Every structure is written in structure tokens, then in C-alpha cells.
Amino acid sequence: MKKMRLAVVFAALTVMFGFTSCLDDNGGDSRSMGQEIVKVSGAAGFYSFRSFGGYTLNPTNQSALQNLALNSPYALVAYYYDPSTVTQGFTQLDVEMASASEVKSGTVELGEAPEGGGNLPVYAVLNDSRGVPLIAEKSILFLPVTYYYANSSDQTELASELNSHSFTLYYEGEESVNGRMRLELCHNVTDSTVTRTGVGTEYRYFNIASALGSYESQFGSSPREIIVEFEQASVGSVNGSMNSITFEYKTSE
């Protein structure tokens, strides 16, 4: 029996809301593979996953999920499916789950970001073919963040290291203009003296409802674009410089 792979290491993956797939040519398998961020329902062994494309993924291999604990409301999943079952207006899709990893949360604060942008720069915030910012349910922002971490072959130590990283988005109205909302991303670790040379990417999600509400009160409408600024540094450096990405504010629902 295949076991569900819960990712505890990083992967820089292109993820889109809605239906994504690629043909699996291995061994003449006629199935296709899909990959996306989904909303989690149920519990271990009884999971279903709601796509932001408007359909529900129903795992056919629930036995492989019985030891999988997803504590986040969102997950990054990969799965196999029969493309012949995808018809116009479909709402349910039976899938064989290949992997799943929970998407961790970040926090959002109103006001000026602390000087220095947190105690550790990031390597990048992606907005290209490797990964793009995504917005769901009007106010849930998924950001693909590439940052430095201390790698370890011990899975317990690695999990502890990854859990020591936190991300906060700050919204200060004076830095925004009509049509564009500015957010600043700050990255903090519990121990900034640790040497971190590993580089990996993961999505983090942020509920930006408070920032959107403040922006709309100030400018009278939702932003057309969002700019996220962050302190960026090259490998081995703790001294960074400010960089930014800009993307369209477009919700899936």
C-alpha cells in the first residue's frame, strides 16, 4: 500500500487555483496529476479537500491518510485523477492522493513595521514560474517565501527548526496609494544566532481582512494591486536590502 508523504522539507512548486494537471507518462498510466492549494475538511482518515476552483477532491485512498494530521485549514496537495471524469460543471473529483503538506499561517498587523524588517532577511518572495502569490476567499493571501534554514537529517530537529520561523505582514496606510496597497513582510526566528545555509520555499497564508478594511476605509474601494516589500539577502549574509513584488488583487471567489 502506498503511504501518504507529508512534506517536512521544502519544495518550490508552481501552484494555481483551479484545475491544473500534467499527463503522467510513466508505465502507460492514463491518469493525470493535479497539484494545488486546497481547503481542508474532515480529519485523519476522513479527509476531503475543497479546491478554490469550485470542486471537491475526494481521496480514494483514505487508508493512506489515517496517520496524516493536517492542523492548518489549508494544504498543498498533489494527486492522480482520471481525466475522463472531468466534465463541464463538475463539482466532485475522485483522486488518489500522492502527497499533502499543511500551509502554515502568518500574522497581519496594522501599523508601521519594525525597523530592519525582522531579525533575519529572506532569500526571495516568489512571483514567477516557480510560485506566485494567490488570493482566495477575498482576504486569504498565500505567499511563496524562500528563506534560510538550518538543515538536519534528524526529522524532529528539522521540524523544530522550521517551526521557529514566523512571518508577519504590516499594513501602514500612509505608504499606500489609491489603487495599490503596500504591505511589508517581516521574517523572525526564535534564535537568530544559528547558522542557516539551507534555502527552501514554502507557502504561508495571511488573513489580510483587517488590512483590506483599513485600505478601503481610506481610499473608498479595494486595491487593484498589492505590493509586498521585504528585506532580502544573499546566501551567507545577514545584511539585506529592501526588495518588492507587485501583483494583481484578484480573488478566486
Side-chain angles (χ1 to χ4, degrees), residues 87-107:
T87 58
Q88 184 68 31
F90 77 101
T91 59
Q92 304 287 325
L93 185 65
D94 290 339
V95 300
E96 179 185 345
M97 299 298 296
S99 66
S101 58
E102 62 184 25
V103 180
K104 298 176 183 177
S105 66
T107 56

Side-chain angles (χ1 to χ4, degrees), residues 147-149 161-166 187-189 196 204:
Y147 60 92
Y148 303 99
Y149 70 103
E161 160 64 13
L162 299 184
N163 287 330
S164 73
H165 295 252
S166 63
H187 174 212
N188 285 284
V189 291
R196 293 176 167 90
R204 295 280 178 136

Side-chain angles (χ1 to χ4, degrees), residues 49-63:
F49 304 100
R50 180 68 176 172
S51 167
F52 294 110
Y55 49 88
T56 298
L57 303 176
N58 298 311
T60 59
N61 54 337
Q62 285 285 358
S63 60

Side-chain angles (χ1 to χ4, degrees), residues 88-145:
Q88 184 68 31
F90 77 101
T91 59
Q92 304 287 325
L93 185 65
D94 290 339
V95 300
E96 179 185 345
M97 299 298 296
S99 66
S101 58
E102 62 184 25
V103 180
K104 298 176 183 177
S105 66
T107 56
V108 177
E109 300 286 346
L110 300 181
E112 186 178 1
E115 187 175 355
N119 63 9
L120 192 68
V122 299
Y123 180 80
V125 179
L126 301 180
N127 189 20
D128 55 29
S129 61
R130 296 168 296 168
V132 294
L134 305 168
I135 299 174
E137 301 172 320
K138 298 183 179 180
S139 62
I140 304 300
L141 171 61
F142 296 93
L143 280 181
V145 184

Side-chain angles (χ1 to χ4, degrees), residues 172-191:
E172 184 182 9
E174 292 182 359
E175 300 295 330
S176 295
V177 297
N178 191 13
R180 175 180 287 186
M181 182 171 73
R182 175 192 174 275
L183 300 169
E184 184 172 338
L185 178 70
C186 291
H187 174 212
N188 285 284
V189 291
T190 53
D191 185 356

Side-chain angles (χ1 to χ4, degrees), residues 15-35:
V15 180
M16 299 177 64
F17 289 152
F19 200 54
T20 63
S21 66
C22 59
L23 185 62
D24 181 2
D25 293 325
N26 293 328
D29 194 339
S30 62
R31 298 179 303 170
S32 293
M33 174 170 273
Q35 178 181 283

